[in-house]
Amino acid sequence: LFLNFRGKLTWDTKVIDILGDRIQFPDEHMTEHVTIRDLLLHRTGLPRYDDLWIANQFSNEDIFK
């Protein structure tokens, strides 16, 4: 996913505006309203999955899914 967002992406850009139907959170309200700022500040309320990156058997594609 390499898109040119130069000058178009802000902290308050909604994630769904970037990824469209490729992203879905646990509920519809969250899917519609989570922003780049929310993700970077870890304030979505989603659990952490740090251990997926350390010594795992999953491909990057599997982790993204």
Side-chain angles (χ1 to χ4, degrees), residues 3-4 9 11-12 15 17 20 22-24 28 39 46 48-50 53-54 56 58 63:
L3 303 172
N4 182 3
L9 190 65
W11 294 115
D12 297 313
V15 176
D17 292 342
R22 293 175 290 208
I23 189 83
Q24 185 173 0
E28 189 174 332
L39 291 178
L46 294 172
R48 295 176 62 141
Y49 292 102
D50 295 346
W53 300 100
I54 303 168
N56 69 68
F58 302 109
I63 291 172

Side-chain angles (χ1 to χ4, degrees), residues 5-63:
F5 288 105
R6 189 175 301 255
K8 300 175 189 173
L9 190 65
T10 70
W11 294 115
D12 297 313
T13 300
K14 293 179 181 176
V15 176
I16 196 167
D17 292 342
I18 300 166
L19 297 177
D21 62 357
R22 293 175 290 208
I23 189 83
Q24 185 173 0
F25 291 97
D27 65 64
E28 189 174 332
H29 182 271
M30 193 172 181
T31 300
E32 294 291 327
H33 293 94
V34 169
T35 64
I36 299 297
R37 183 185 313 262
D38 295 328
L39 291 178
L40 293 175
L41 293 175
H42 302 274
R43 64 181 190 188
T44 62
L46 294 172
R48 295 176 62 141
Y49 292 102
D50 295 346
D51 56 344
L52 286 178
W53 300 100
I54 303 168
N56 69 68
Q57 71 276 9
F58 302 109
S59 69
N60 287 343
E61 183 178 338
D62 290 335
I63 291 172

